[in-house]
Amino acid sequence: MTDRFVDNYLLYLLARASSEVSAQFHAHLKQHGLQVAEWRVLACLSDGDGMTVGDVADRALQHQPTMTKIINRMVKTGLVTRHKGEPDRRQVRVYITEDGRKRVEDALAAAKRHEADVLSDYGPREAAQLKSMLQALIDRNGAVPHED
């Protein structure tokens, strides 16, 4: 069978790699009682001092209106809280709660194990180079949020 255009097309390769690897991990999330969107929010907030909704949306690959709805649901279930920013009270920051931290803790460990499994066929230098090249691609082209 001859190669098709998409077989060597960068955007297809990136999307296919993401789809394959993400599908494997998303199965793990169900075991932790987390939806993909919740996981992304909690992972973003797990090691920091809160973020604006816009920053969470950017990191979690969602449009801000969609992220606002996700965060509203997560506030109701006690996984995150909102607080007015300091010194700009117009800015709202989102923080992970203790319950949210407990829910995401095992999933973070599973994510690290999954990443190690995915990269196990690569040496440490190759794995670091792959991540570095992907980060450079993102930095040079700007990340645009999208709906999954």
Side-chain angles (χ1 to χ4, degrees):
M1 181 171 165
T2 21
D3 283 349
R4 298 182 182 271
F5 167 76
V6 295
D7 294 337
N8 198 36
Y9 180 53
L10 176 64
L11 300 181
Y12 169 77
L13 295 171
L14 289 169
R16 179 74 187 262
S18 177
S19 178
E20 298 290 337
V21 174
S22 294
Q24 295 168 6
F25 182 66
H26 294 168
H28 291 291
L29 289 178
K30 289 180 184 176
Q31 297 171 359
H32 298 285
L34 291 170
Q35 296 175 3
V36 173
E38 292 172 333
W39 151 253
R40 289 179 179 174
V41 171
L42 294 175
C44 288
L45 297 172
S46 67
D47 54 2
D49 293 330
M51 299 171 76
T52 66
V53 174
D55 288 342
V56 176
D58 199 36
R59 292 281 174 124
L61 306 175
Q62 294 287 334
H63 291 288
Q64 190 162 338
T66 302
M67 184 52 58
T68 297
K69 291 175 187 172
I70 293 165
I71 288 171
N72 287 345
R73 286 194 309 267
M74 294 177 74
V75 166
K76 287 179 185 173
T77 59
L79 298 175
V80 299
T81 60
R82 281 193 188 96
H83 299 286
K84 298 234 185 243
E86 294 292 334
D88 185 353
R89 307 271 305 151
R90 294 172 297 173
Q91 189 179 58
V92 175
R93 295 183 69 79
V94 181
Y95 296 86
I96 191 169
T97 63
E98 198 55 42
D99 188 37
R101 199 170 298 287
K102 288 177 189 171
R103 289 277 301 278
V104 78
E105 190 175 293
D106 289 339
L108 287 168
K112 290 174 186 173
R113 286 191 303 274
H114 180 254
E115 179 183 81
D117 289 345
V118 167
L119 296 175
S120 65
D121 289 340
Y122 301 90
R125 188 167 166 236
E126 282 180 305
Q129 185 177 23
L130 175 61
K131 286 182 174 185
S132 175
M133 290 175 73
L134 289 171
Q135 188 60 55
L137 183 66
I138 292 165
D139 291 347
R140 291 175 187 170
N141 292 281
V144 178
H146 68 282
E147 298 293 327
D148 282 338

